[in-house]
Amino acid sequence: MAVIAVFNQKGGVGKTTTCLNLVAALSIAQRHPIALDMDPQGHLSLASGLKNGTVQSKSMAAFFKDKVPLAQLLHDTPAGWQIIPATLELSKIDALYGSDPQAAKMLKQGLAEELALTGAPIIIDCCPMLGVLTLNALLACDRVLIPVSADFLSQHGVNRLDSALNVLERKLQRKFERRIVVTRFDSRRKLSYDIYDKLKQRYGDLVCKTRIGETVALATSPMHGLDVFAFAPQSPGAADYKLLTMELMESGFV
Ligand SMILES: Nc1ncnc2c1ncn2[C@@H]1O[C@H](COP(=O)(O)OP(=O)(O)O)[C@@H](O)[C@H]1O
Ligand SMILES: [Mg+2]
């Protein structure tokens, strides 16, 4: 079972867009993925096309607050994959467990007990903060996918994130397999190429060959509760995420 946390402490870099379209592409490839929305903003849940009313009690907050088993919180999306959605209620988890060192292990235990047998890849959309929720995601995962948008501040932030993961690895005495994917790549801007080259120089093969271009379809599909394959299957955005998913599958990352 591959458990992949999609994480970057910076917002707006394409974490949710990457989760949505990676999960959709894995579903099309018959891999039966499960998405966990671990961002209280619930953007992935919104983009997955679930009807609002069905979400309230069956969400990630019910797992963390009321210890409802994960398997009972799964929703089927119209596109055919499964998700445990997030609501604003999830923002209370940090305050609830902030000082409890055991709290960071809840998701790891929950996955091992309830979802491990399915063998499905599990993709976690993280929030842009390293609090209790993200620690849960990082402890539960064996891989970290880091979207980096093709701008200077984002590139700068990835170095800090890499150092933080190294510290965590030493503390936990285990490795996170990681990949960096450059998102929001504007092929008309030299800056985009410069940033990609700099990341390549520093992180080598950890940087995915596939770059995700800045495109209208990727920005618009969530508004309609659709992934890019359902919204605009012929678009460059669909082609990019298909290529990325193939690259990640071929290298055994997912
Ligand atoms: N490749 C892309 N092309 C165009 N818009 C994008 C692309 N990736 C993300 N966006 C848009 O940028 C915003 C932030 O992306 P999002 O995936 O929500 O980032 P994060 O989850 O890291 O905060 C959203 O409005 C999203 O639709
Ligand atoms: Mg997000």
Side-chain angles (χ1 to χ4, degrees):
M1 176 180 65
V3 181
I4 300 177
V6 180
F7 180 56
N8 189 328
Q9 77 282 26
K10 193 170 185 313
V13 294
K15 291 183 288 297
T16 301
T17 308
T18 297
C19 278
L20 175 69
N21 296 303
L22 173 61
V23 170
L26 287 171
S27 176
I28 292 167
Q30 301 293 321
R31 294 285 305 274
H32 310 292
I34 296 172
L36 305 185
D37 191 348
M38 294 275 283
D39 185 345
Q41 295 180 95
H43 288 166
L44 181 64
S45 311
L46 207 64
S48 70
L50 292 185
K51 296 270 173 292
N52 252 347
T54 65
V55 171
Q56 284 312 326
S57 54
K58 273 180 69 177
S59 71
M60 285 307 308
F63 169 74
F64 284 107
K65 279 178 66 186
D66 308 322
K67 315 279 189 301
V68 179
L70 292 169
Q72 291 178 23
L73 299 172
L74 290 168
H75 295 249
D76 292 316
T77 67
W81 39 276
Q82 290 187 301
I83 182 170
I84 303 181
T87 59
L88 211 49
E89 196 65 15
L90 197 58
S91 61
K92 298 179 184 162
I93 301 305
D94 266 274
L96 194 64
Y97 291 115
S99 55
D100 178 355
Q102 292 304 314
K105 295 182 191 151
M106 290 175 76
L107 185 65
K108 186 181 174 71
Q109 279 164 4
L111 286 179
E113 285 162 16
E114 297 146 32
L115 292 185
L117 287 178
T118 68
I122 293 174
I123 314 294
I124 309 176
D125 189 18
C126 295
C127 65
M129 280 179 318
L130 203 56
V132 174
L133 290 173
T134 301
L135 274 176
N136 263 279
L138 290 175
L139 259 62
C141 77
D142 40 19
R143 291 138 213 223
V144 184
L145 180 61
I146 307 168
V148 179
S149 59
D151 59 78
F152 170 69
L153 292 178
S154 187
Q155 181 226 320
H156 189 257
V158 77
N159 299 339
R160 275 183 41 210
L161 170 55
D162 193 61
S163 309
L165 286 177
N166 290 340
V167 170
L168 208 58
E169 277 186 341
R170 282 196 292 277
K171 232 181 162 157
L172 301 173
Q173 301 202 328
R174 49 161 288 206
K175 291 271 170 212
F176 295 109
E177 203 179 324
R178 31 192 128 156
R179 293 284 187 284
I180 293 167
V181 56
V182 175
T183 61
R184 314 197 67 170
F185 188 91
D186 184 343
S187 58
R188 296 162 306 180
R189 292 167 73 187
K190 183 174 173 297
L191 178 69
S192 289
Y193 295 93
D194 289 349
I195 284 170
Y196 183 81
D197 290 344
K198 281 219 171 78
L199 287 169
K200 263 284 186 208
Q201 272 167 24
R202 184 157 179 163
Y203 298 104
D205 287 345
L206 298 188
V207 182
C208 294
K209 286 195 191 78
T210 310
R211 300 178 290 223
I212 306 296
E214 172 89 15
T215 67
V216 179
L218 287 172
T220 315
S221 81
M223 264 168 57
H224 301 271
L226 295 170
D227 58 74
V228 74
F229 303 101
F231 179 70
Q234 304 303 329
S235 65
D240 285 351
Y241 272 107
K242 185 177 176 192
L243 266 180
L244 176 68
T245 306
M246 279 166 48
E247 183 182 341
L248 294 176
M249 287 199 297
E250 274 162 19
S251 67
F253 189 77
V254 64

